[in-house]
mmCIF file with all atom_site columns, all heavy atoms in Angstrom:
data_model
loop_
_atom_site.group_PDB
_atom_site.id
_atom_site.type_symbol
_atom_site.label_atom_id
_atom_site.label_alt_id
_atom_site.label_comp_id
_atom_site.label_asym_id
_atom_site.label_entity_id
_atom_site.label_seq_id
_atom_site.pdbx_PDB_ins_code
_atom_site.Cartn_x
_atom_site.Cartn_y
_atom_site.Cartn_z
_atom_site.occupancy
_atom_site.B_iso_or_equiv
_atom_site.pdbx_formal_charge
_atom_site.auth_seq_id
_atom_site.auth_comp_id
_atom_site.auth_asym_id
_atom_site.auth_atom_id
_atom_site.pdbx_PDB_model_num
ATOM 1   N N   . ALA A 1 360 ? 4.252  3.528   1.446  1.00 98.00 ? 360 ALA A N   1
ATOM 2   C CA  . ALA A 1 360 ? 5.032  3.086   0.295  1.00 98.00 ? 360 ALA A CA  1
ATOM 3   C C   . ALA A 1 360 ? 4.180  2.107   -0.488 1.00 98.00 ? 360 ALA A C   1
ATOM 4   O O   . ALA A 1 360 ? 3.231  1.524   0.036  1.00 98.00 ? 360 ALA A O   1
ATOM 5   C CB  . ALA A 1 360 ? 6.300  2.393   0.772  1.00 98.00 ? 360 ALA A CB  1
ATOM 6   N N   . PRO A 1 362 ? 5.093  -1.029  -2.300 1.00 95.00 ? 362 PRO A N   1
ATOM 7   C CA  . PRO A 1 362 ? 6.167  -1.942  -2.718 1.00 95.00 ? 362 PRO A CA  1
ATOM 8   C C   . PRO A 1 362 ? 5.743  -2.887  -3.823 1.00 95.00 ? 362 PRO A C   1
ATOM 9   O O   . PRO A 1 362 ? 4.579  -3.274  -3.913 1.00 95.00 ? 362 PRO A O   1
ATOM 10  C CB  . PRO A 1 362 ? 6.477  -2.743  -1.448 1.00 95.00 ? 362 PRO A CB  1
ATOM 11  C CG  . PRO A 1 362 ? 5.366  -2.493  -0.511 1.00 95.00 ? 362 PRO A CG  1
ATOM 12  C CD  . PRO A 1 362 ? 4.496  -1.393  -1.028 1.00 95.00 ? 362 PRO A CD  1
ATOM 13  N N   . ALA A 1 365 ? 5.109  -7.358  -0.722 1.00 97.00 ? 365 ALA A N   1
ATOM 14  C CA  . ALA A 1 365 ? 4.235  -6.982  0.392  1.00 97.00 ? 365 ALA A CA  1
ATOM 15  C C   . ALA A 1 365 ? 4.819  -5.836  1.211  1.00 97.00 ? 365 ALA A C   1
ATOM 16  O O   . ALA A 1 365 ? 6.027  -5.636  1.253  1.00 97.00 ? 365 ALA A O   1
ATOM 17  C CB  . ALA A 1 365 ? 4.031  -8.191  1.293  1.00 97.00 ? 365 ALA A CB  1
ATOM 18  N N   . VAL A 1 366 ? 3.917  -5.121  1.902  1.00 98.00 ? 366 VAL A N   1
ATOM 19  C CA  . VAL A 1 366 ? 4.360  -3.946  2.657  1.00 98.00 ? 366 VAL A CA  1
ATOM 20  C C   . VAL A 1 366 ? 4.839  -4.319  4.074  1.00 98.00 ? 366 VAL A C   1
ATOM 21  O O   . VAL A 1 366 ? 5.673  -3.626  4.652  1.00 98.00 ? 366 VAL A O   1
ATOM 22  C CB  . VAL A 1 366 ? 3.234  -2.883  2.691  1.00 98.00 ? 366 VAL A CB  1
ATOM 23  C CG1 . VAL A 1 366 ? 2.116  -3.252  3.634  1.00 98.00 ? 366 VAL A CG1 1
ATOM 24  C CG2 . VAL A 1 366 ? 3.782  -1.520  3.024  1.00 98.00 ? 366 VAL A CG2 1
ATOM 25  N N   . MET A 1 367 ? 4.338  -5.437  4.632  1.00 98.00 ? 367 MET A N   1
ATOM 26  C CA  . MET A 1 367 ? 4.561  -5.685  6.074  1.00 98.00 ? 367 MET A CA  1
ATOM 27  C C   . MET A 1 367 ? 6.035  -5.806  6.496  1.00 98.00 ? 367 MET A C   1
ATOM 28  O O   . MET A 1 367 ? 6.467  -5.140  7.436  1.00 98.00 ? 367 MET A O   1
ATOM 29  C CB  . MET A 1 367 ? 3.773  -6.926  6.546  1.00 98.00 ? 367 MET A CB  1
ATOM 30  C CG  . MET A 1 367 ? 2.282  -6.705  6.566  1.00 98.00 ? 367 MET A CG  1
ATOM 31  S SD  . MET A 1 367 ? 1.667  -6.687  4.872  1.00 98.00 ? 367 MET A SD  1
ATOM 32  C CE  . MET A 1 367 ? 0.098  -5.905  5.034  1.00 98.00 ? 367 MET A CE  1
ATOM 33  N N   . PRO A 1 368 ? 6.849  -6.659  5.821  1.00 98.00 ? 368 PRO A N   1
ATOM 34  C CA  . PRO A 1 368 ? 8.244  -6.745  6.254  1.00 98.00 ? 368 PRO A CA  1
ATOM 35  C C   . PRO A 1 368 ? 8.997  -5.420  6.082  1.00 98.00 ? 368 PRO A C   1
ATOM 36  O O   . PRO A 1 368 ? 9.925  -5.141  6.833  1.00 98.00 ? 368 PRO A O   1
ATOM 37  C CB  . PRO A 1 368 ? 8.838  -7.827  5.328  1.00 98.00 ? 368 PRO A CB  1
ATOM 38  C CG  . PRO A 1 368 ? 7.661  -8.596  4.855  1.00 98.00 ? 368 PRO A CG  1
ATOM 39  C CD  . PRO A 1 368 ? 6.545  -7.607  4.747  1.00 98.00 ? 368 PRO A CD  1
ATOM 40  N N   . LEU A 1 369 ? 8.561  -4.614  5.128  1.00 98.00 ? 369 LEU A N   1
ATOM 41  C CA  . LEU A 1 369 ? 9.194  -3.310  4.937  1.00 98.00 ? 369 LEU A CA  1
ATOM 42  C C   . LEU A 1 369 ? 8.824  -2.386  6.095  1.00 98.00 ? 369 LEU A C   1
ATOM 43  O O   . LEU A 1 369 ? 9.679  -1.685  6.652  1.00 98.00 ? 369 LEU A O   1
ATOM 44  C CB  . LEU A 1 369 ? 8.746  -2.688  3.608  1.00 98.00 ? 369 LEU A CB  1
ATOM 45  C CG  . LEU A 1 369 ? 9.509  -3.125  2.354  1.00 98.00 ? 369 LEU A CG  1
ATOM 46  C CD1 . LEU A 1 369 ? 9.544  -4.614  2.181  1.00 98.00 ? 369 LEU A CD1 1
ATOM 47  C CD2 . LEU A 1 369 ? 8.950  -2.460  1.120  1.00 98.00 ? 369 LEU A CD2 1
ATOM 48  N N   . ALA A 1 370 ? 7.552  -2.414  6.461  1.00 98.00 ? 370 ALA A N   1
ATOM 49  C CA  . ALA A 1 370 ? 7.096  -1.589  7.590  1.00 98.00 ? 370 ALA A CA  1
ATOM 50  C C   . ALA A 1 370 ? 7.792  -2.044  8.872  1.00 98.00 ? 370 ALA A C   1
ATOM 51  O O   . ALA A 1 370 ? 8.183  -1.213  9.709  1.00 98.00 ? 370 ALA A O   1
ATOM 52  C CB  . ALA A 1 370 ? 5.580  -1.710  7.739  1.00 98.00 ? 370 ALA A CB  1
ATOM 53  N N   . GLU A 1 371 ? 7.968  -3.344  9.024  1.00 98.00 ? 371 GLU A N   1
ATOM 54  C CA  . GLU A 1 371 ? 8.642  -3.894  10.216 1.00 98.00 ? 371 GLU A CA  1
ATOM 55  C C   . GLU A 1 371 ? 10.086 -3.356  10.290 1.00 98.00 ? 371 GLU A C   1
ATOM 56  O O   . GLU A 1 371 ? 10.546 -2.924  11.356 1.00 98.00 ? 371 GLU A O   1
ATOM 57  C CB  . GLU A 1 371 ? 8.642  -5.421  10.087 1.00 98.00 ? 371 GLU A CB  1
ATOM 58  C CG  . GLU A 1 371 ? 9.182  -6.173  11.272 1.00 98.00 ? 371 GLU A CG  1
ATOM 59  C CD  . GLU A 1 371 ? 9.152  -7.687  11.024 1.00 98.00 ? 371 GLU A CD  1
ATOM 60  O OE1 . GLU A 1 371 ? 9.290  -8.113  9.855  1.00 98.00 ? 371 GLU A OE1 1
ATOM 61  O OE2 . GLU A 1 371 ? 9.006  -8.438  11.999 1.00 98.00 ? 371 GLU A OE2 1
ATOM 62  N N   . ALA A 1 372 ? 10.777 -3.354  9.140  1.00 98.00 ? 372 ALA A N   1
ATOM 63  C CA  . ALA A 1 372 ? 12.161 -2.863  9.112  1.00 98.00 ? 372 ALA A CA  1
ATOM 64  C C   . ALA A 1 372 ? 12.188 -1.347  9.350  1.00 98.00 ? 372 ALA A C   1
ATOM 65  O O   . ALA A 1 372 ? 13.072 -0.826  10.053 1.00 98.00 ? 372 ALA A O   1
ATOM 66  C CB  . ALA A 1 372 ? 12.810 -3.213  7.779  1.00 98.00 ? 372 ALA A CB  1
ATOM 67  N N   . GLN A 1 373 ? 11.216 -0.625  8.784  1.00 98.00 ? 373 GLN A N   1
ATOM 68  C CA  . GLN A 1 373 ? 11.154 0.829   9.000  1.00 98.00 ? 373 GLN A CA  1
ATOM 69  C C   . GLN A 1 373 ? 10.967 1.130   10.491 1.00 98.00 ? 373 GLN A C   1
ATOM 70  O O   . GLN A 1 373 ? 11.625 2.005   11.062 1.00 98.00 ? 373 GLN A O   1
ATOM 71  C CB  . GLN A 1 373 ? 9.970  1.431   8.228  1.00 98.00 ? 373 GLN A CB  1
ATOM 72  C CG  . GLN A 1 373 ? 10.115 1.378   6.715  1.00 98.00 ? 373 GLN A CG  1
ATOM 73  C CD  . GLN A 1 373 ? 8.896  1.964   6.007  1.00 98.00 ? 373 GLN A CD  1
ATOM 74  O OE1 . GLN A 1 373 ? 7.765  1.889   6.514  1.00 98.00 ? 373 GLN A OE1 1
ATOM 75  N NE2 . GLN A 1 373 ? 9.110  2.546   4.833  1.00 98.00 ? 373 GLN A NE2 1
ATOM 76  N N   . ALA A 1 374 ? 10.048 0.363   11.112 1.00 98.00 ? 374 ALA A N   1
ATOM 77  C CA  . ALA A 1 374 ? 9.730  0.606   12.525 1.00 98.00 ? 374 ALA A CA  1
ATOM 78  C C   . ALA A 1 374 ? 10.954 0.352   13.403 1.00 98.00 ? 374 ALA A C   1
ATOM 79  O O   . ALA A 1 374 ? 11.225 1.098   14.354 1.00 98.00 ? 374 ALA A O   1
ATOM 80  C CB  . ALA A 1 374 ? 8.566  -0.294  12.950 1.00 98.00 ? 374 ALA A CB  1
ATOM 81  N N   . LEU A 1 418 ? 8.501  1.042   -4.320 1.00 96.00 ? 418 LEU A N   1
ATOM 82  C CA  . LEU A 1 418 ? 9.733  0.477   -3.757 1.00 96.00 ? 418 LEU A CA  1
ATOM 83  C C   . LEU A 1 418 ? 9.875  -0.945  -4.253 1.00 96.00 ? 418 LEU A C   1
ATOM 84  O O   . LEU A 1 418 ? 8.877  -1.664  -4.397 1.00 96.00 ? 418 LEU A O   1
ATOM 85  C CB  . LEU A 1 418 ? 9.648  0.405   -2.227 1.00 96.00 ? 418 LEU A CB  1
ATOM 86  C CG  . LEU A 1 418 ? 9.675  1.690   -1.430 1.00 96.00 ? 418 LEU A CG  1
ATOM 87  C CD1 . LEU A 1 418 ? 9.584  1.357   0.060  1.00 96.00 ? 418 LEU A CD1 1
ATOM 88  C CD2 . LEU A 1 418 ? 10.951 2.459   -1.707 1.00 96.00 ? 418 LEU A CD2 1
ATOM 89  N N   . ASP A 1 419 ? 11.123 -1.354  -4.442 1.00 92.00 ? 419 ASP A N   1
ATOM 90  C CA  . ASP A 1 419 ? 11.377 -2.752  -4.746 1.00 92.00 ? 419 ASP A CA  1
ATOM 91  C C   . ASP A 1 419 ? 11.679 -3.454  -3.418 1.00 92.00 ? 419 ASP A C   1
ATOM 92  O O   . ASP A 1 419 ? 12.579 -3.063  -2.685 1.00 92.00 ? 419 ASP A O   1
ATOM 93  C CB  . ASP A 1 419 ? 12.574 -2.854  -5.692 1.00 92.00 ? 419 ASP A CB  1
ATOM 94  C CG  . ASP A 1 419 ? 12.866 -4.289  -6.044 1.00 92.00 ? 419 ASP A CG  1
ATOM 95  O OD1 . ASP A 1 419 ? 13.564 -4.972  -5.264 1.00 92.00 ? 419 ASP A OD1 1
ATOM 96  O OD2 . ASP A 1 419 ? 12.381 -4.724  -7.078 1.00 92.00 ? 419 ASP A OD2 1
ATOM 97  N N   . TYR A 1 420 ? 10.897 -4.507  -3.131 1.00 93.00 ? 420 TYR A N   1
ATOM 98  C CA  . TYR A 1 420 ? 10.929 -5.195  -1.829 1.00 93.00 ? 420 TYR A CA  1
ATOM 99  C C   . TYR A 1 420 ? 12.349 -5.565  -1.392 1.00 93.00 ? 420 TYR A C   1
ATOM 100 O O   . TYR A 1 420 ? 12.837 -5.126  -0.341 1.00 93.00 ? 420 TYR A O   1
ATOM 101 C CB  . TYR A 1 420 ? 10.053 -6.433  -1.984 1.00 93.00 ? 420 TYR A CB  1
ATOM 102 C CG  . TYR A 1 420 ? 9.856  -7.355  -0.811 1.00 93.00 ? 420 TYR A CG  1
ATOM 103 C CD1 . TYR A 1 420 ? 8.691  -7.281  -0.047 1.00 93.00 ? 420 TYR A CD1 1
ATOM 104 C CD2 . TYR A 1 420 ? 10.769 -8.342  -0.508 1.00 93.00 ? 420 TYR A CD2 1
ATOM 105 C CE1 . TYR A 1 420 ? 8.459  -8.166  0.989  1.00 93.00 ? 420 TYR A CE1 1
ATOM 106 C CE2 . TYR A 1 420 ? 10.550 -9.229  0.532  1.00 93.00 ? 420 TYR A CE2 1
ATOM 107 C CZ  . TYR A 1 420 ? 9.387  -9.134  1.278  1.00 93.00 ? 420 TYR A CZ  1
ATOM 108 O OH  . TYR A 1 420 ? 9.160  -10.020 2.304  1.00 93.00 ? 420 TYR A OH  1
ATOM 109 N N   . ASP A 1 421 ? 13.046 -6.378  -2.200 1.00 92.00 ? 421 ASP A N   1
ATOM 110 C CA  . ASP A 1 421 ? 14.359 -6.887  -1.773 1.00 92.00 ? 421 ASP A CA  1
ATOM 111 C C   . ASP A 1 421 ? 15.403 -5.775  -1.725 1.00 92.00 ? 421 ASP A C   1
ATOM 112 O O   . ASP A 1 421 ? 16.166 -5.668  -0.769 1.00 92.00 ? 421 ASP A O   1
ATOM 113 C CB  . ASP A 1 421 ? 14.827 -8.010  -2.713 1.00 92.00 ? 421 ASP A CB  1
ATOM 114 C CG  . ASP A 1 421 ? 13.911 -9.213  -2.609 1.00 92.00 ? 421 ASP A CG  1
ATOM 115 O OD1 . ASP A 1 421 ? 13.735 -9.726  -1.488 1.00 92.00 ? 421 ASP A OD1 1
ATOM 116 O OD2 . ASP A 1 421 ? 13.346 -9.627  -3.640 1.00 92.00 ? 421 ASP A OD2 1
ATOM 117 N N   . TYR A 1 423 ? 14.935 -2.624  -1.283 1.00 96.00 ? 423 TYR A N   1
ATOM 118 C CA  . TYR A 1 423 ? 14.672 -1.691  -0.186 1.00 96.00 ? 423 TYR A CA  1
ATOM 119 C C   . TYR A 1 423 ? 15.163 -2.266  1.141  1.00 96.00 ? 423 TYR A C   1
ATOM 120 O O   . TYR A 1 423 ? 15.804 -1.567  1.937  1.00 96.00 ? 423 TYR A O   1
ATOM 121 C CB  . TYR A 1 423 ? 13.181 -1.375  -0.121 1.00 96.00 ? 423 TYR A CB  1
ATOM 122 C CG  . TYR A 1 423 ? 12.832 -0.375  0.965  1.00 96.00 ? 423 TYR A CG  1
ATOM 123 C CD1 . TYR A 1 423 ? 13.174 0.971   0.842  1.00 96.00 ? 423 TYR A CD1 1
ATOM 124 C CD2 . TYR A 1 423 ? 12.176 -0.773  2.129  1.00 96.00 ? 423 TYR A CD2 1
ATOM 125 C CE1 . TYR A 1 423 ? 12.864 1.890   1.837  1.00 96.00 ? 423 TYR A CE1 1
ATOM 126 C CE2 . TYR A 1 423 ? 11.865 0.135   3.132  1.00 96.00 ? 423 TYR A CE2 1
ATOM 127 C CZ  . TYR A 1 423 ? 12.208 1.467   2.979  1.00 96.00 ? 423 TYR A CZ  1
ATOM 128 O OH  . TYR A 1 423 ? 11.911 2.378   3.973  1.00 96.00 ? 423 TYR A OH  1
ATOM 129 N N   . LEU A 1 424 ? 14.870 -3.562  1.371  1.00 97.00 ? 424 LEU A N   1
ATOM 130 C CA  . LEU A 1 424 ? 15.292 -4.165  2.641  1.00 97.00 ? 424 LEU A CA  1
ATOM 131 C C   . LEU A 1 424 ? 16.815 -4.184  2.757  1.00 97.00 ? 424 LEU A C   1
ATOM 132 O O   . LEU A 1 424 ? 17.366 -3.893  3.821  1.00 97.00 ? 424 LEU A O   1
ATOM 133 C CB  . LEU A 1 424 ? 14.728 -5.586  2.779  1.00 97.00 ? 424 LEU A CB  1
ATOM 134 C CG  . LEU A 1 424 ? 13.229 -5.664  3.108  1.00 97.00 ? 424 LEU A CG  1
ATOM 135 C CD1 . LEU A 1 424 ? 12.772 -7.116  3.153  1.00 97.00 ? 424 LEU A CD1 1
ATOM 136 C CD2 . LEU A 1 424 ? 12.911 -4.979  4.438  1.00 97.00 ? 424 LEU A CD2 1
ATOM 137 N N   . LEU A 1 427 ? 17.956 -0.624  3.461  1.00 97.00 ? 427 LEU A N   1
ATOM 138 C CA  . LEU A 1 427 ? 17.659 -0.199  4.837  1.00 97.00 ? 427 LEU A CA  1
ATOM 139 C C   . LEU A 1 427 ? 18.663 -0.831  5.813  1.00 97.00 ? 427 LEU A C   1
ATOM 140 O O   . LEU A 1 427 ? 19.100 -0.189  6.771  1.00 97.00 ? 427 LEU A O   1
ATOM 141 C CB  . LEU A 1 427 ? 16.227 -0.607  5.198  1.00 97.00 ? 427 LEU A CB  1
ATOM 142 C CG  . LEU A 1 427 ? 15.425 0.371   6.049  1.00 97.00 ? 427 LEU A CG  1
ATOM 143 C CD1 . LEU A 1 427 ? 15.426 1.758   5.461  1.00 97.00 ? 427 LEU A CD1 1
ATOM 144 C CD2 . LEU A 1 427 ? 13.998 -0.128  6.222  1.00 97.00 ? 427 LEU A CD2 1
#
Side-chain angles (χ1 to χ4, degrees):
V366 75
M367 290 73 198
L369 276 54
E371 185 181 31
Q373 293 179 329
L418 290 180
D419 181 276
Y420 181 100
D421 295 304
Y423 182 72
L424 285 177
L427 218 52

